[in-house]
Amino acid sequence: MTVAETCALAKKNACAAANLTEEARNRMLTLAAQALCSRAQEIIKANEKDISACTRGEQFIDRLRLSDSRIAEIAEGLTQLCALPCPAGEVLERYQTENGLDISRVRVPFGVVGIIYEARPNVTADAIGLCLKSGNAVVLRGSKDAYFSNAAIVEAMKEAWRQGGFACEFVQLIEDCSREGAREFMRQKKYLDVLIPRGSAALIQSALENSTVPVIETGTGNCHIYLESSALPEKALSILMNAKTQRTSVCNAAESLVLDESFAQKHLATIVSALQNAGVEVVGDAAAQAICSAVSPAEEEDFFTEFLSLKISVKIVRDIGEAIPFINAHSTGHSEAIVTENQEHAERFLREIDSACVYVNASTRFTDGFEFGFGAEMGISTQKLHARGPMGLRELTSYQYRIRGNGQIRK
Amino acid sequence: MTVAETCALAKKNACAAANLTEEARNRMLTLAAQALCSRAQEIIKANEKDISACTRGEQFIDRLRLSDSRIAEIAEGLTQLCALPCPAGEVLERYQTENGLDISRVRVPFGVVGIIYEARPNVTADAIGLCLKSGNAVVLRGSKDAYFSNAAIVEAMKEAWRQGGFACEFVQLIEDCSREGAREFMRQKKYLDVLIPRGSAALIQSALENSTVPVIETGTGNCHIYLESSALPEKALSILMNAKTQRTSVCNAAESLVLDESFAQKHLATIVSALQNAGVEVVGDAAAQAICSAVSPAEEEDFFTEFLSLKISVKIVRDIGEAIPFINAHSTGHSEAIVTENQEHAERFLREIDSACVYVNASTRFTDGFEFGFGAEMGISTQKLHARGPMGLRELTSYQYRIRGNGQIRK
């Protein structure tokens, strides 16, 4: 099938996804989870085919590799979705106009969600589960490197549904994994209601450049921790170390440390020493170097970089009035935190920082659908249109106005 | 100033728009309305300069032309915005997580709204008013044909604010009205948070093709009126005539009539005669022609066309089961109506039609921000991402998570 034909097939079957009962959705999630486990050996065999054809590095292959335990985790994720209610159908508001029109605004599924992602086969099952639970059809365009793994996962889930007597054609996997196929996918506006790229900055940039389908931009996080002069040193260090080192390869990890000069004078040496003991490379501006000689010189570019590794940039500011514009100018709009005991400054930071998630006295690592209590996550939006921050089931819906009249015409 | 410099200036001043008090916003709207009236002669002179340079047709010039009364209307629109509350700042939800994080989701302005539009100078003042009231900075890119009119309107408003001691640089008008300038504008992702194209299908298509800024697609309406077999003939005729003929050049006017065969057998002749008496050209499929010889043959293309004129396409269907997929396959997702006395069919139509606004027994002409009670309108979204249907002040906002902790770190 061509890319367009695959998308058209999903659209044709979108109604089937939207009209399922809650009971049917949960039954399908359970069947899919069981099928992944019972067909784990087949899936692992397909995965081995992908791995043996793959010429990429170890880290890449590590993300691609499936095992019994990883498949069990993926299946567990599907099962957990059963506990969450489908958000579609909720009446968001209902009112009467003067001429007697009864207007309701009702939450509805998007229709067809397109997902383009890299060589992480777990995304395949996750995305199908989230779309099923939110009432959406889904077209998956995974990486060529994971094609056999993805196909095996999709086939296991769909076959379980077929046997259970359920519709399954609202889930489609693109066969054409070429670069041209990706571009074509991004232009299926006729069939896709939204496109969600999940993966590297390059992939997301390509979607922004090429897509005619509305895109939800996800993921890049140049996150800042700002230690204000009133911060308690222990709390500051604990939050910073957690945000920078607990897991470095994720978008909600800290990449930049901003300190009030007065706080830095007293505490920067201790902080840098703790960071370096944890293996973190510390680069900073001239002021930071002057205060602490263990800080290496930073390039201007470092302050714009999401390192995703054991490296951090340090910037010294006079006060919050200088910190906020610095952060707004360098952040990617993901997550930023202030550590402070000054209530007024805390509230100012919350109000004036232009990011999806703004924290007072907590680690940026909490920006996550599960941590926020959504029970599931489709990614973290860094744009302002539609959804911002962690996206769960609710963020996979749109709304529709339903208007009931008794013959009203416009004067 | 280059396009990028102009957008950067708006972004730099976005904070000023966001931080205004409600009182300041209203004072600014009032000052702007007064300035437009008191400087009407200047604005009309600038408008005449545009008109005398314009080589386009009469209808085009009619939309471009300003007069004292049109300027007074525009000013009145600004004044009316004073009565509406700024939506920003609303706490949409607030909850505590198990580890004690206090999470609130707060409505915030987009930041910088980009508007690209055609030669309707009234859009200039409308858009500025809506952005001011919703807390946004705005960059306007009007048509070259209306440049002097737009510049005069913007200057009158900004000068009034300057004299009143208010900030005004959060409103910017692009000077470069070339085609290349438009493309450049659509790529100012660094400075614009959203792009709203207002105007022809060609303009909207160009934004979808070229923009890296998230776009809200507005306006195209191939709206359907479906007369189901149980429809009361008088009610049906009244709604149809209103939707087709009350104003033909607007996106919520009907362009296609779908009838159950049994209803058509009895009433199509009367309906076609009423349409033709009102000057409407009626084209239809073979079944419609067979039932009523006054119906001319339709091309397949007619069923996909937004005529925006006194023309309508007619399609005969067996029943609602055939009507719904036909409408979903041909509509632009704007507004569709069923006329029926069958409650079950009414509810099925509401549920299964995939459009922004779905009506039972009322004219599609009600799809409008004012008619919906929003008090103002920025356009009508036909996409599902972010906003759907009429967009008022609320639809010009995003949200932000504000998280208050006391030292929480992630385990």
Side-chain angles (χ1 to χ4, degrees):
Chain A
M1 267 196 295
T2 66
V3 170
E5 284 164 355
T6 308
C7 294
L9 190 55
K11 170 133 185 127
K12 203 181 143 197
N13 289 279
C15 244
N19 291 337
L20 290 165
T21 62
E22 190 82 62
E23 195 191 346
R25 286 183 215 285
N26 292 346
R27 182 79 190 122
M28 290 173 79
L29 287 166
T30 307
L31 286 173
Q34 287 167 352
L36 291 184
C37 293
S38 67
R39 295 176 69 173
Q41 292 325 304
E42 248 172 274
I43 295 168
I44 289 172
K45 206 167 278 173
N47 184 244
E48 278 164 3
K49 200 166 158 188
D50 281 329
I51 289 172
S52 67
C54 183
T55 57
R56 310 285 293 267
E58 202 177 318
Q59 226 186 340
F60 186 94
I61 288 178
D62 183 54
R63 284 197 292 265
L64 170 57
R65 191 183 301 278
L66 291 172
S67 61
D68 280 317
S69 67
R70 281 183 106 160
I71 291 173
E73 266 173 50
I74 294 170
E76 175 60 21
L78 293 176
T79 307
Q80 283 177 2
L81 281 173
C82 292
L84 302 174
C86 171
E90 184 190 351
V91 178
L92 299 167
E93 54 182 330
R94 185 165 186 167
Y95 59 99
Q96 293 243 340
T97 58
E98 271 180 34
N99 61 0
L101 289 176
D102 169 5
I103 301 184
S104 37
R105 192 160 66 95
V106 181
R107 194 183 286 288
V108 296
F110 271 130
V112 187
V113 176
I115 319 242
I116 181 162
Y117 55 110
E118 290 168 341
R120 293 180 177 250
N122 60 308
V123 172
T124 308
D126 282 2
I128 294 174
L130 286 160
C131 287
L132 166 58
K133 192 73 210 221
S134 55
N136 288 293
V138 59
V139 186
L140 303 149
R141 198 286 189 185
S143 152
K144 195 176 142 207
D145 296 296
Y147 181 73
F148 293 108
S149 315
N150 291 337
I153 289 171
V154 170
E155 185 44 33
M157 295 172 81
K158 287 173 81 164
E159 180 55 26
W161 297 341
R162 262 183 231 113
Q163 286 184 10
F166 293 105
C168 64
E169 295 305 315
F170 63 87
V171 172
Q172 292 295 331
L173 178 69
I174 299 277
E175 289 164 13
D176 175 355
C177 293
S178 67
R179 200 170 278 254
E180 299 69 47
R183 295 227 175 157
E184 213 186 318
F185 182 54
M186 293 174 185
R187 301 182 65 80
Q188 298 303 316
K189 193 168 179 299
K190 197 171 162 190
Y191 305 119
L192 303 181
D193 292 297
V194 57
L195 178 69
I196 305 179
R198 290 185 65 177
S200 68
L203 172 69
I204 291 159
Q205 191 56 33
S206 165
L208 291 172
E209 291 284 339
N210 297 304
S211 182
T212 53
V213 180
V215 170
I216 301 184
E217 192 182 346
T218 62
T220 314
N222 182 21
C223 303
H224 293 76
I225 305 287
Y226 167 45
L227 309 181
E228 196 260 355
S229 61
S230 70
L232 297 179
E234 272 185 40
K235 199 189 275 182
L237 188 62
S238 153
I239 289 172
L240 171 67
M241 294 305 288
N242 183 257
K244 179 65 247 180
T245 67
Q246 197 241 358
R247 201 169 158 204
T248 54
S249 65
V250 287
C251 61
N252 56 18
E255 306 292 5
S256 195
L257 168 64
V258 180
L259 309 97
D260 275 355
E261 194 181 349
S262 58
F263 187 88
Q265 294 284 6
K266 280 184 250 169
H267 307 290
L268 185 58
T270 316
I271 289 169
V272 169
S273 154
L275 285 165
Q276 290 176 337
N277 284 339
V280 179
E281 180 190 351
V282 182
V283 300
D285 66 355
Q289 294 168 61
I291 294 169
C292 172
S293 60
V295 173
S296 312
E299 305 289 324
E300 184 50 32
E301 197 45 36
D302 286 327
F303 291 103
F304 290 100
T305 304
E306 187 190 22
F307 300 116
L308 296 174
S309 66
L310 287 170
K311 183 172 178 183
I312 196 165
S313 63
V314 179
K315 165 80 184 174
I316 305 295
V317 294
R318 204 177 45 247
D319 56 18
I320 190 169
E322 197 181 330
I324 289 174
F326 174 82
I327 294 171
N328 282 337
H330 293 82
S331 94
T332 51
H334 191 296
S335 301
E336 332 295 334
I338 185 175
V339 185
T340 182
E341 297 299 310
N342 180 321
Q343 196 57 26
E344 203 179 301
H345 286 182
E347 293 301 316
R348 181 175 170 193
F349 192 81
L350 289 173
R351 236 177 17 246
E352 297 186 11
I353 287 291
D354 188 18
S355 295
C357 301
V358 192
Y359 292 84
V360 172
N361 294 334
S363 169
T364 53
R365 289 278 293 112
F366 287 110
T367 300
D368 174 286
F370 294 91
E371 295 291 335
F372 273 35
F374 300 174
E377 187 191 282
M378 181 55 115
I380 292 166
S381 165
T382 52
Q383 72 181 29
K384 295 184 190 170
L385 204 68
H386 186 72
R388 211 172 177 199
M391 295 190 290
L393 294 170
R394 178 179 65 190
E395 287 70 27
L396 291 175
T397 63
S398 178
Y399 59 78
Q400 176 183 61
Y401 286 98
R402 297 182 180 167
I403 305 106
R404 295 169 175 90
N406 50 26
Q408 282 87 345
I409 59 170
R410 189 151 165 196
K411 305 285 180 241
Chain B
M1 266 197 294
T2 66
V3 170
E5 284 165 354
T6 308
C7 295
L9 191 54
K11 169 128 184 128
K12 204 181 141 196
N13 289 280
C15 243
N19 291 336
L20 290 165
T21 62
E22 190 82 63
E23 194 190 346
R25 287 184 214 286
N26 292 345
R27 181 77 192 125
M28 290 173 80
L29 287 165
T30 307
L31 285 173
Q34 286 167 353
L36 291 184
C37 293
S38 67
R39 295 176 69 174
Q41 291 326 302
E42 251 173 88
I43 295 168
I44 289 171
K45 206 167 278 173
N47 184 243
E48 279 164 2
K49 201 165 155 188
D50 281 328
I51 290 172
S52 66
C54 182
T55 56
R56 309 288 289 269
E58 203 177 318
Q59 227 186 338
F60 187 95
I61 288 177
D62 183 53
R63 285 198 291 265
L64 171 57
R65 192 182 299 279
L66 292 172
S67 62
D68 280 318
S69 68
R70 282 184 105 160
I71 292 172
E73 267 173 47
I74 294 170
E76 175 60 20
L78 293 176
T79 306
Q80 283 175 3
L81 282 173
C82 292
L84 303 174
C86 171
E90 186 191 350
V91 178
L92 299 167
E93 53 183 329
R94 185 165 186 167
Y95 59 99
Q96 292 242 339
T97 58
E98 272 180 33
N99 60 0
L101 288 177
D102 168 7
I103 301 184
S104 39
R105 193 161 64 96
V106 181
R107 195 183 284 290
V108 296
F110 272 130
V112 186
V113 176
I115 318 241
I116 182 162
Y117 55 110
E118 290 167 340
R120 293 180 178 251
N122 59 309
V123 171
T124 309
D126 282 3
I128 295 174
L130 286 160
C131 288
L132 166 59
K133 193 72 211 219
S134 54
N136 288 294
V138 59
V139 186
L140 303 149
R141 199 285 191 184
S143 152
K144 196 178 142 203
D145 295 295
Y147 180 73
F148 293 109
S149 314
N150 291 337
I153 289 170
V154 170
E155 185 45 32
M157 295 172 81
K158 287 173 81 163
E159 180 56 27
W161 296 341
R162 262 183 230 114
Q163 285 184 12
F166 292 104
C168 64
E169 295 304 316
F170 64 86
V171 172
Q172 293 295 332
L173 178 69
I174 299 276
E175 288 164 12
D176 175 354
C177 293
S178 67
R179 199 170 277 255
E180 299 69 45
R183 296 226 173 158
E184 213 187 317
F185 183 53
M186 293 174 185
R187 301 182 62 82
Q188 297 304 315
K189 193 168 177 299
K190 197 170 160 190
Y191 305 120
L192 304 181
D193 291 296
V194 58
L195 178 69
I196 306 179
R198 291 186 63 178
S200 67
L203 172 68
I204 291 160
Q205 192 56 33
S206 163
L208 290 172
E209 291 284 340
N210 297 304
S211 183
T212 53
V213 180
V215 169
I216 301 184
E217 192 182 347
T218 62
T220 314
N222 181 21
C223 303
H224 293 75
I225 305 288
Y226 167 47
L227 309 182
E228 195 261 354
S229 61
S230 71
L232 297 179
E234 272 185 41
K235 202 189 271 182
L237 189 63
S238 153
I239 288 172
L240 171 67
M241 295 304 288
N242 184 259
K244 179 65 248 179
T245 67
Q246 196 240 358
R247 203 169 157 205
T248 54
S249 65
V250 288
C251 60
N252 56 17
E255 306 291 5
S256 195
L257 170 64
V258 180
L259 308 97
D260 274 355
E261 194 181 350
S262 58
F263 187 87
Q265 293 284 8
K266 282 184 247 165
H267 307 292
L268 185 57
T270 316
I271 288 168
V272 169
S273 153
L275 285 166
Q276 290 177 337
N277 284 341
V280 179
E281 180 189 351
V282 183
V283 299
D285 65 356
Q289 293 168 62
I291 294 169
C292 172
S293 60
V295 173
S296 312
E299 305 289 325
E300 184 48 32
E301 196 46 35
D302 286 328
F303 291 102
F304 289 100
T305 304
E306 186 190 23
F307 300 117
L308 296 175
S309 66
L310 288 170
K311 183 172 178 183
I312 197 165
S313 63
V314 179
K315 166 79 183 174
I316 306 294
V317 293
R318 202 178 49 249
D319 57 17
I320 190 169
E322 196 181 322
I324 289 173
F326 173 83
I327 293 171
N328 281 339
H330 292 83
S331 94
T332 51
H334 191 295
S335 300
E336 333 294 334
I338 186 175
V339 186
T340 183
E341 296 299 311
N342 180 321
Q343 196 60 25
E344 204 180 300
H345 286 181
E347 293 302 316
R348 180 174 171 194
F349 192 82
L350 288 174
R351 234 174 21 241
E352 295 186 12
I353 287 290
D354 187 18
S355 295
C357 300
V358 192
Y359 292 85
V360 172
N361 294 334
S363 169
T364 53
R365 289 278 293 113
F366 287 110
T367 300
D368 175 285
F370 294 92
E371 295 292 334
F372 272 35
F374 299 174
E377 187 191 281
M378 181 55 115
I380 292 166
S381 165
T382 51
Q383 72 181 29
K384 295 183 189 170
L385 203 68
H386 186 73
R388 212 171 175 200
M391 295 190 289
L393 294 171
R394 179 180 62 188
E395 287 71 26
L396 291 175
T397 63
S398 178
Y399 59 79
Q400 175 183 62
Y401 286 97
R402 296 182 181 169
I403 305 105
R404 295 170 177 89
N406 49 26
Q408 282 87 346
I409 59 170
R410 190 152 166 196
K411 306 285 178 237

